Amino acid sequence: MSADKQMKGYRVMKNNRKLKNKIFLILTDAVFVLTAGILAYVLTMKETGGFGWKPLSMWLVADLAAAVLLFMVFGMYDIVFSSVGIIDALKLCIPVLCLCALNAALALFTHGKYIRVDTAFLFSAFLFYFAGMVRFSKRILIVLRYFLSGGKNKKKRVMIVGGGSAGLVLIKEMLTSDKIAYKPVCIADDDPTKLGNYISGVKVAGSTYDVKQLAEKYRVEEIFVTMPAASKKIQSAVIDRCKDCKCPVKVLPGVYQIADGQVTVSKLRKVEIQDLLGREQVKVNLDEIMGYIENKVVLVTGGGGSIGSELCRQIAMHNPRLLIILDIYENNAYDIEQELRRRYPSMHLLALIASVRDMGKMRDVFSKYRPQIVFHAAAHKHVPLMETSPNEAVKNNVFGTVNVARCADEFGVETFVQISTDKAVNPTNIMGATKRICEMIIQTIGRHSKNTKFVAVRFGNVLGSNGSVIPLFRKQISEGGPVTVTHKDIIRYFMTIPEAVSLVLQAGAYAKGGQIFVLDMGEPVRIYDLAYNLIKLSGLEPGVDIDIVCTGLRPGEKLYEERLMKEEGLQKTPNGLINIARPLEFDEETFWQTLDLLYDEAYSETDRMKEYVRKLVPTYTIEKRDLGLKAFMRESSAAIGAEALNPEPVPAEN
């Protein structure tokens, strides 16, 4: 059977089921109208001479038709039983009150010939009760089953942190859904007026400062932090208090979900490190971004990577005329292409598989598609791997950038944005040194370009990117540990991928040529603390359930990263989180001559290649601990099971 036929059959079945539900409700309401009418009539009219079957039947027939019509008009037959709530109850009031008004008018105009005013009010009360009972029946049965079982139906005991509207919605969902395996046992809230009171039958047992004691007292198995309207600083502090409770912590992502009616248990997610950064999401001026991207041909090299793919996502939101995703790795390029085609079916999108090392291919791409804006994110970024394969870092990062930048200049690109890193400052690894050379390349070409504004954007580690510590730590925790950290005192600057990319896009709007933009990453984070907190927030105890092992600094790795050199200085931009570093002066002729020698050495696979990198980047400190032949033989011996001499521990990814 074809997909179209299956879909058509599904729709027919769905419509039939909906029709049956409507017929059932109409028949049920008819019975309730008759029952409510007879009860109200008997209780109010039996003491008068007006009691009789003929006036009763005439009144009931009229009310039956009016009630069904009003219920249809106000959508009372389109309610989903499993999700009824206070809004549906209020909506039910409207047709019932309308019917009450009609009946009261009938009583007044006929002087009680058919019914009295009190009959109309009593009838409306009965009808509201009966009609509400049938619509709330499913949720009422679930709650009754829950309390009759004493809540002993193998549900996880949950503490709700935050007794506001979001917490209330979650509690009601847990109490009225038989598909949710959670049981709210207590609430922690800092509002003193709520302390000791009950919210939907669940006690506000303490403040957020009491979460550890409450978790022990109520035998809590999981904690839900439902404070989406609170500031990031407050949320961070509350989550930090929860980490000592020895149970997993989940958070409700954002306040926008309350407005959209999306507050459900399924929206809760595990605590991420960005929840502990204690700062608000970085904001950008979208109008500035729109101004230079809208209706332009935009090329993103490395468009399938973690930074490149997010660049593509955010660029796609700003209406480019054509978005070109260029990457050497076909799987990543395919994934982001398909994602964007689903989200933006009318957008012009092109995915190209190519290497930035291939100058011929780059010239062909620029000649054929004439990109107006280029974001150059293609690069080898993994520090330890580049230490063992330094020539590849030079070939890809340095000369890939030369190729793309020269094509941008030749074909009149408007803006060229080079993605750089804080590791380019006083580099101790080849990856950082190559990125520093890339900054020098775009500065040099940019000085002489007549049409293109060349800029670089430098930032630190991004949470969730390929090679980030967060996925690694989570994997190690799920496997039972140990969690590996290279050094107890190592610190890094962190920013989320969307934050970093949005600032990169805005930096492009500030481009005038030759600038190095430095993103303010906030306060640095100690990696050991990051690992410790992730273990605690997973409901485990560091050193007891999961060990943290320090493996030692890897080749080329610093204890801390710097964002700019002392000589560079800083200049502010309208966005306080984007600064401009003053470019260093260097002799261009010597630079290009040394670059030519570096090219020959890199492609000849010589050991002297790093010396030319040092000439180009005087602040580059060559790592003394290169993995030479002895180290390679030692590691190979260990791999085949022989007893290795002084084997080195497997390092963590930072």
Side-chain angles (χ1 to χ4, degrees), residues 551-570:
T551 59
L553 290 174
R554 299 167 298 181
E557 190 169 47
K558 296 180 182 180
L559 276 178
Y560 61 95
E561 300 292 356
E562 303 161 87
R563 288 178 291 178
L564 75 164
M565 301 180 191
K566 292 178 181 178
E567 302 94 324
E568 289 178 308
L570 279 180

Side-chain angles (χ1 to χ4, degrees), residues 22 24-34 36 63-79 88-100 102 123-135:
K22 277 190 176 182
F24 168 76
L25 272 177
I26 290 171
L27 293 175
T28 306
D29 285 340
V31 172
F32 289 151
V33 169
L34 296 175
D63 261 25
L64 179 59
V68 171
L69 180 62
L70 285 168
F71 279 17
M72 282 185 174
V73 169
F74 288 98
M76 290 297 101
Y77 298 121
D78 298 318
I79 290 175
D88 298 299
L90 292 173
K91 284 174 68 176
L92 179 61
C93 287
I94 299 173
V96 172
L97 288 173
C98 289
L99 196 59
C100 180
L102 290 172
F123 165 74
S124 299
F126 280 135
L127 180 60
F128 180 80
Y129 175 76
F130 291 142
M133 283 291 287
V134 72
R135 284 162 175 78

Side-chain angles (χ1 to χ4, degrees), residues 62 224 316 368 431 467 470 511 518 585 613 623 632:
F224 292 169
K368 188 177 293 183
M431 193 283 284
I470 306 301
V518 181
E585 298 295 329
V613 172
E623 177 59 51
F632 174 79

